Amino acid sequence: MSPEGKTLLNIIILGLGFMVMFTAFGTCGNIEQTVIKSFNSTEFHGSGYTSMAIIYAVFSASNLIAPSVIAVIGPQLSLFFSGLVYSGYIAVFIHPYTSSFYTLSVLLGIAAAVLWTAQGNLLTINSKDSTIGRNSGIFWALMQFSLFFGNLYIFVAWRGKSHITDKDRQTVFITLTVISLVGNFLFFLIQRPDPEPAPTDASESLLPADISDSVSVVPSQSLCSQAFEAFKRSIQLAVTKEMLLLSIPFAYSGLELTFYSGVYGTCLGAMTQFGHDAKGLIGLSGILIGVGEILGGGVFGILDKCNRFGRNPVVFLGLVTHIVAFYLIFLNIASDAPVAPEEGTQLQAFIQPSVTVALICSFLLGLGDSCFNTQLISIVGFLFRDDSASAFAVFKFVQSITAAVAFFYSNYLLLHWQLLIMVLMGFLGTITFFVVEWGVISSRRDSDYDSI
């Protein structure tokens, strides 16, 4: 197989592994607050929003050490061991206890930092400047198929249910745990890419000679040195002009991640005006979010039609798409839906609640998210190719901080305040992204500038 074919295959396997694993975990995150509200037990007093806040808070702090972990054991093993923790978190819901629930939330925050930093490292290692945009789109589209498959299962299994029984919960989470474990083992199919004629030392240091057996080929003193250098480089990158400007769209991506992956599904499940299918509507909403994500990743990545215009038009489209979705949600969903009890809300928004409008918003949320994330992945991989693990660690550090804050305030803030925060951050993040992209175009005007 040619070197180009091998790297493309690696990107596809990486995307498939994340697709299978996040079919399980993404579905878990989408339904867990609804499941917890239906849980019949005096021994369990957890909150799905609080759990997610813990996960993302620990996630943010752990991003500072994630490059060091990857430097020591390699990105492939980092993906596998992190994935096992994801499976453990899902399995907690089979027989949930408050202590194990929150303990796994902490461990998952650490694992998530390592997982996503390793993903960014592998994506960059298997890409060139001319293919980073395409590969970002391929990975994103494949991964977002997870929203389709997992939520289709929830829609079919829970359709017509107004209450989730213990048997319903156990059946779903046993299935999701097995699916997650299958995805973990797919990462072992990733091959080491052929070295380029003149590789950079910084990028090579994060991918040992054999990514499946890195510890045995590097002396322990060298490993410690690599770990320290990776940590130091992360701190240095975090205070560069480009990274400080990009931190605003990073932060926005964390806010809207919280909203579409957890809060919006809870809102739909709380709308009694949607009838007995409200719980099943959570799954259908997730499917349409996935359709929007896949469409965005395909159009702006796989088809690669926007090269001549740069990344800015795609990000602007993402902002407009989200603004339209937020406005329709404001009109269609009751303001107390995020904090309503299991019985749901009796309040009505500004229009007669419409399932059709709610599902259109789901699609728009997914499409807008894909616009932002494919371009953020692309520009980070393009600007910081020689320090990809450290750069993606900073990306996830900022994103996870704001996601943690958003999951925390989702326990208390009414819907319209949450929407207003996202609108303001979206505008500001788009402007700062434009500034960085204009700088890239200006500095590379005479070079082969071929990414999205």
Side-chain angles (χ1 to χ4, degrees):
M1 181 181 294
S2 66
E4 292 79 8
K6 181 184 291 186
T7 56
L8 180 58
L9 180 60
N10 284 344
I11 296 297
I12 293 173
I13 294 172
L14 183 66
L16 289 174
F18 272 72
M19 180 192 75
V20 175
M21 192 171 74
F22 278 86
T23 291
F25 181 74
T27 305
C28 172
N30 197 25
I31 66 175
E32 69 175 70
Q33 182 67 8
T34 301
V35 167
I36 288 171
K37 287 181 180 180
S38 301
F39 186 48
N40 298 318
S41 175
T42 58
E43 300 176 356
F44 186 80
H45 306 285
S47 164
Y49 290 154
T50 302
S51 169
M52 287 295 179
I54 292 172
I55 289 170
Y56 282 101
V58 176
F59 185 1
S60 64
S62 300
N63 275 297
L64 297 176
I65 62 170
S68 301
V69 175
I70 295 166
V72 172
I73 68 173
Q76 190 176 45
L77 288 177
S78 297
L79 290 174
F80 176 72
F81 288 120
S82 300
L84 291 181
V85 180
Y86 274 75
S87 301
Y89 179 83
I90 297 168
V92 163
F93 287 91
I94 299 172
H95 292 289
Y97 295 94
T98 307
S99 58
S100 59
F101 178 52
Y102 286 132
T103 299
L104 263 296
S105 298
V106 173
L107 294 177
L108 182 59
I110 299 172
V114 176
L115 181 93
W116 282 104
T117 304
Q119 176 269 329
N121 183 219
L122 277 173
L123 180 68
T124 305
I125 288 170
N126 285 277
S127 302
K128 300 178 180 178
D129 287 351
S130 60
T131 61
I132 184 68
R134 181 204 65 185
N135 290 347
S136 298
I138 291 174
F139 169 79
W140 194 257
L142 286 172
M143 190 190 79
Q144 296 305 332
F145 270 103
S146 63
L147 290 170
F148 179 82
F149 295 119
N151 287 290
L152 178 61
Y153 171 59
I154 294 300
F155 174 67
V156 173
W158 288 4
R159 188 175 187 181
K161 292 182 181 291
S162 58
H163 177 76
I164 308 305
T165 66
D166 288 349
K167 182 179 179 181
D168 293 333
R169 185 194 72 249
Q170 291 169 354
T171 300
V172 166
F173 282 98
I174 289 173
T175 303
L176 295 180
T177 301
V178 173
I179 292 172
S180 176
L181 289 170
V182 171
N184 295 340
F185 285 94
L186 286 177
F187 296 132
F188 284 117
L189 299 178
I190 297 174
Q191 305 175 60
R192 181 172 63 90
D194 295 332
E196 296 181 9
T200 59
D201 293 338
S203 61
E204 286 296 311
S205 67
L206 293 171
L207 185 65
D210 185 347
I211 63 176
S212 64
D213 192 23
S214 58
V215 176
S216 64
V217 299
V218 184
S220 59
Q221 185 177 2
S222 178
L223 290 176
C224 294
S225 176
Q226 288 185 52
F228 176 74
E229 287 299 321
F231 174 78
K232 184 173 70 173
R233 188 58 183 154
S234 296
I235 302 300
Q236 293 171 339
L237 281 179
V239 296
T240 61
K241 175 186 175 182
E242 292 80 9
M243 200 59 92
L244 289 174
L245 287 170
L246 287 173
S247 66
I248 307 301
F250 292 167
Y252 174 67
S253 71
L255 297 180
E256 52 99 8
L257 166 68
T258 296
F259 187 77
Y260 84 77
S261 67
V263 176
Y264 189 56
T266 301
C267 291
L268 297 183
M271 291 293 290
T272 56
Q273 295 91 337
F274 290 153
H276 293 299
D277 280 342
K279 296 294 187 290
L281 192 60
I282 298 173
L284 187 56
S285 170
I287 292 171
L288 288 173
I289 290 172
V291 171
E293 296 274 14
I294 294 163
L295 178 63
V299 171
F300 304 123
I302 300 172
L303 298 182
D304 207 14
K305 294 294 186 183
C306 298
N307 281 7
R308 72 185 72 175
F309 305 113
R311 301 174 181 88
N312 284 345
V314 183
V315 170
F316 181 73
L317 175 62
L319 175 66
V320 172
T321 302
H322 274 170
I323 296 299
V324 171
F326 295 155
Y327 180 67
L328 292 176
I329 291 169
F330 173 73
L331 295 177
N332 193 49
I333 304 295
S335 62
D336 68 336
V339 295
E342 185 196 354
E343 293 77 19
T345 175
Q346 301 299 321
L347 297 182
Q348 184 171 314
F350 294 93
I351 62 173
Q352 180 65 31
S354 167
V355 172
T356 301
V357 172
L359 295 179
I360 290 173
C361 292
S362 299
F363 171 78
L364 294 177
L365 288 173
L367 179 61
D369 181 67
S370 70
C371 291
F372 273 97
N373 274 283
T374 55
Q375 305 317 298
L376 288 173
I377 292 171
S378 175
I379 199 169
V380 170
F382 186 85
L383 286 173
F384 306 102
R385 178 173 175 78
D386 292 344
D387 297 289
S388 58
S390 298
F392 278 98
V394 175
F395 174 14
K396 291 299 177 179
F397 172 75
V398 177
Q399 185 186 60
S400 55
I401 285 178
T402 54
V405 172
F407 272 115
F408 176 76
Y409 68 56
S410 295
N411 280 304
Y412 308 102
L413 286 186
L414 296 178
L415 179 62
H416 57 274
W417 292 117
Q418 297 189 38
L419 294 173
L420 178 61
I421 291 171
M422 287 189 291
V423 168
L424 296 177
M425 284 295 294
F427 270 113
L428 185 58
T430 301
I431 292 171
T432 57
F433 186 97
F434 282 7
V435 173
V436 176
E437 177 69 359
W438 287 330
V440 171
I441 295 173
S442 176
S443 63
R444 299 179 181 271
R445 192 177 302 275
D446 298 325
S447 66
D448 182 19
Y449 177 52
D450 251 349
S451 60
I452 296 178

